[in-house]
Amino acid sequence: MTSRRPSIGVFDSGFGGLTVLKALLELVPDADYVYFGDTARLPYGSKSVETVARYAVQSAHYLEKQEADLLVIACNTATALAFEQITAAAHVPVVGVVEPGADAAASASRNHKVVVIGTQATVGSHAYKKALEARGLAAREKACPLLVPLVEEGWVEHPVTEEIARIYLNEGFDDGFSDADVLLLGCTHYPLLKPLLRRVAPAPASIVDSAESTARAVAPRMQQLLGESRAEQRRAVPRLKFFATDSVEKFKLLGKRFLGHPIEDVRHVDLQE
Amino acid sequence: MTSRRPSIGVFDSGFGGLTVLKALLELVPDADYVYFGDTARLPYGSKSVETVARYAVQSAHYLEKQEADLLVIACNTATALAFEQITAAAHVPVVGVVEPGADAAASASRNHKVVVIGTQATVGSHAYKKALEARGLAAREKACPLLVPLVEEGWVEHPVTEEIARIYLNEGFDDGFSDADVLLLGCTHYPLLKPLLRRVAPAPASIVDSAESTARAVAPRMQQLLGESRAEQRRAVPRLKFFATDSVEKFKLLGKRFLGHPIEDVRHVDLQE
């Protein structure tokens, strides 16, 4: 019997997607994982649709070459701006973070009002607004461009970060959205700020994390693939492989903050430049 | 007579180099300018030597194709990490920002102690420390990774920016450098923060801006080239051409904050990806 365990390809512009991988490892431990971080060209959040789509499709193809059976676009900006292009270019099923996030927000909201925070590019695409409105919810989107650099600086519990988050959320929960009862984290860096955002967000608002909801959306998709693998394979510990377009050392250093444990097997990749 | 005016190619990862261009336009108005912003792959400041060198050399070649007679690396990270690679790859003279900045700091300092602020990559390279020590000055380098995103968010006079700058400068002017008498701005985004930094830095410290000092270093280099051009050509208004690897609209929008006046002629470029 040489049949291999199913492999999930997880893609992000950098490190944020590791929060999705972390949730996946908890919910879908029966698979192997290949993670691709396009760290040489990060961040995507301040870039145009054309640039993000080109980079994301290259990254998706790279994961397919690594024999991924399913692709998870663990990047809100790439999902928001380029989900259709990635799906069209890929030969395996693709799961993004926007639809699962919108589903989770719809389940959590009672008054159908959601505040979404994300990068400039994600907010500019209105992907969340469209997905939420399609589910009968009203959405207020607020770009928070400083939160990613603050997380990458490691200031996840810093008073300055709290002040900046308060400024952003005050502008989000405003103009008819002061009673919104869901704060949707539309960026995979933001789960690291959850305790701080919990203190700053209005008390009645629940926080929905698109990393967790994406992992929950992947679980049933894996059932079919898992059905084909043998029982002893299913019990094995997931194998993890990491690829990054910038420094491997930096990936190990920053990555462990997002994944929550040390990262070993990282390889450097050049995307034909 | 078809001899053309000399053309200066100015290169940066994004918008910061426009502060150098602004200084050049004041000091060297007798030339034409071609500006290249590698905005699709910005920021360079958090990336590795190899990645920055590859991107910078591609950008330098692009400017040579645009017939630049002299290249100005208006990016501290690219100069600090890849000046030798760029110089080796270029066929025209190259001026970076580090040496002129170090010269200006050496002239301004009386007690030979300088605090340099810059990106993670610039500080990690110790290019300023080496350049300053070669001039007999002691240098304390402090990475300030949040200042670039704060400038790009437009928060150049925001209380939060002042608080963050105070945290960074307190760490810079510490441990034997509390009496440093020069604060060297080792990033071309920082000139926009000059009024704020003036309030936050210790009163006796003068602020040296590598954008201005680089323009002063370019001026004599242009004399020879200018000598060959006709008097009426020298009197003409500089022609400006801009190239960007990400969105042209975004370049116009953000760029005018750095240049201080509207930007018209911007073209989009793909660097063979």
Side-chain angles (χ1 to χ4, degrees):
Chain A
M1 295 287 286
T2 57
S3 71
R4 64 181 184 83
R5 277 158 60 97
S7 172
I8 301 181
V10 181
F11 155 65
D12 182 36
S13 59
F15 309 95
L18 294 167
T19 61
V20 179
L21 177 59
K22 189 182 176 186
L24 280 166
L25 287 168
E26 282 165 22
L27 277 167
V28 191
D30 304 329
D32 291 329
Y33 289 90
V34 191
Y35 185 94
F36 183 92
D38 193 9
T39 45
R41 306 189 289 196
L42 68 80
Y44 286 4
S46 55
K47 286 160 194 164
S48 67
V49 176
E50 295 70 26
T51 298
V52 169
R54 194 168 72 243
Y55 290 176
V57 166
Q58 286 177 352
S59 305
H61 282 157
Y62 191 84
L63 282 171
E64 287 197 85
K65 275 188 216 143
Q66 298 301 316
E67 304 197 331
D69 302 299
L70 175 87
L71 293 184
V72 178
I73 313 302
C75 172
N76 283 268
T77 303
T79 305
L81 273 63
F83 187 71
E84 284 179 25
Q85 288 97 317
I86 299 167
T87 309
H91 307 88
V92 296
V94 181
V95 177
V97 284
V98 173
E99 296 292 318
D103 281 337
S107 304
S109 180
R110 295 187 175 196
N111 68 1
H112 309 294
K113 280 188 184 178
V114 177
V115 171
V116 186
I117 56 175
T119 65
Q120 203 92 55
T122 299
V123 164
S125 76
H126 301 305
Y128 274 105
K129 195 178 171 70
K130 288 172 204 156
L132 288 163
E133 285 178 356
R135 289 160 176 81
L137 286 86
R140 166 42 106 49
E141 296 168 301
K142 172 68 191 156
C144 304
L146 290 167
L147 296 188
V148 167
L150 285 162
V151 168
E152 298 206 340
E153 177 73 320
W155 289 16
V156 295
E157 278 296 343
H158 198 289
V160 157
T161 309
E162 191 157 331
E163 204 174 328
I164 291 174
R166 187 162 283 121
I167 292 168
Y168 284 145
L169 293 192
N170 281 346
E171 289 172 17
F173 286 86
D174 196 7
D175 294 336
F177 282 82
S178 57
D179 61 340
D181 63 355
V182 168
L183 171 64
L184 177 51
L185 309 187
C187 173
T188 51
H189 274 71
Y190 299 172
L192 277 80
L193 295 172
K194 233 188 212 175
L196 183 150
L197 292 169
R198 182 59 284 165
R199 295 197 299 275
V200 174
S206 56
I207 294 181
V208 169
D209 168 350
S210 62
E212 272 176 26
S213 25
T214 301
R216 275 197 296 275
V218 170
R221 300 280 207 116
M222 288 306 290
Q223 289 314 315
Q224 196 191 348
L225 293 166
L226 285 169
E228 296 158 9
S229 69
R230 292 163 60 206
E232 64 266 36
Q233 288 176 318
R234 297 182 59 168
R235 280 194 299 271
V237 173
R239 265 177 308 195
L240 304 177
K241 262 196 251 177
F242 298 89
F243 297 91
T245 53
D246 193 35
S247 152
V248 162
E249 288 314 311
K250 193 179 173 198
F251 190 91
K252 288 182 182 174
L253 196 72
L254 254 178
K256 71 179 174 193
R257 281 195 220 151
F258 289 84
L259 191 59
H261 66 76
I263 293 179
E264 305 296 339
D265 183 11
V266 187
R267 293 174 213 179
H268 181 261
V269 181
D270 265 348
L271 284 185
Q272 40 159 319
E273 292 180 287
Chain B
M1 295 287 287
T2 56
S3 72
R4 63 181 185 84
R5 277 158 59 96
S7 172
I8 300 181
V10 181
F11 156 64
D12 182 36
S13 60
F15 309 95
L18 293 167
T19 60
V20 179
L21 177 58
K22 190 181 175 188
L24 280 165
L25 287 168
E26 283 165 22
L27 277 167
V28 190
D30 304 328
D32 291 328
Y33 289 90
V34 191
Y35 184 94
F36 183 91
D38 193 8
T39 45
R41 306 189 290 196
L42 67 80
Y44 286 5
S46 55
K47 285 160 195 163
S48 66
V49 176
E50 294 72 24
T51 298
V52 168
R54 194 168 72 241
Y55 290 176
V57 166
Q58 286 177 352
S59 306
H61 282 157
Y62 191 85
L63 282 171
E64 286 197 85
K65 275 187 215 144
Q66 298 301 315
E67 305 197 331
D69 302 299
L70 175 87
L71 294 184
V72 178
I73 312 303
C75 172
N76 282 269
T77 303
T79 306
L81 273 63
F83 186 71
E84 283 180 24
Q85 288 97 319
I86 299 167
T87 308
H91 307 88
V92 296
V94 181
V95 177
V97 284
V98 172
E99 295 293 318
D103 280 337
S107 304
S109 180
R110 296 188 174 194
N111 69 1
H112 309 295
K113 279 189 184 178
V114 176
V115 171
V116 187
I117 56 175
T119 64
Q120 203 91 56
T122 299
V123 164
S125 76
H126 301 304
Y128 274 106
K129 195 178 170 70
K130 288 172 204 157
L132 288 162
E133 285 178 354
R135 288 161 176 80
L137 286 86
R140 168 39 113 44
E141 297 168 301
K142 171 69 192 157
C144 305
L146 291 167
L147 296 187
V148 167
L150 285 162
V151 169
E152 299 208 337
E153 177 73 321
W155 289 17
V156 295
E157 277 296 344
H158 199 288
V160 157
T161 309
E162 192 157 330
E163 204 174 328
I164 291 174
R166 186 160 285 122
I167 293 168
Y168 284 145
L169 293 192
N170 281 346
E171 290 173 17
F173 286 86
D174 195 7
D175 294 336
F177 282 82
S178 56
D179 61 340
D181 64 354
V182 168
L183 172 64
L184 176 51
L185 309 188
C187 173
T188 51
H189 275 71
Y190 300 170
L192 277 81
L193 295 172
K194 233 189 213 173
L196 183 150
L197 292 169
R198 182 59 283 164
R199 294 198 299 275
V200 174
S206 57
I207 295 182
V208 169
D209 169 350
S210 61
E212 272 175 27
S213 26
T214 301
R216 275 197 296 276
V218 170
R221 300 281 206 117
M222 288 306 290
Q223 290 313 313
Q224 195 191 349
L225 293 165
L226 285 169
E228 296 158 10
S229 69
R230 292 163 60 206
E232 64 266 34
Q233 288 175 318
R234 296 183 58 167
R235 280 194 300 272
V237 172
R239 266 177 308 194
L240 304 177
K241 262 196 250 177
F242 298 89
F243 296 90
T245 53
D246 193 36
S247 153
V248 162
E249 287 315 311
K250 193 180 172 197
F251 190 92
K252 289 182 181 174
L253 196 72
L254 254 179
K256 70 177 174 195
R257 280 195 221 152
F258 289 84
L259 192 59
H261 66 76
I263 292 178
E264 304 296 339
D265 183 10
V266 187
R267 293 173 212 178
H268 181 262
V269 181
D270 265 349
L271 284 186
Q272 40 158 318
E273 293 180 286

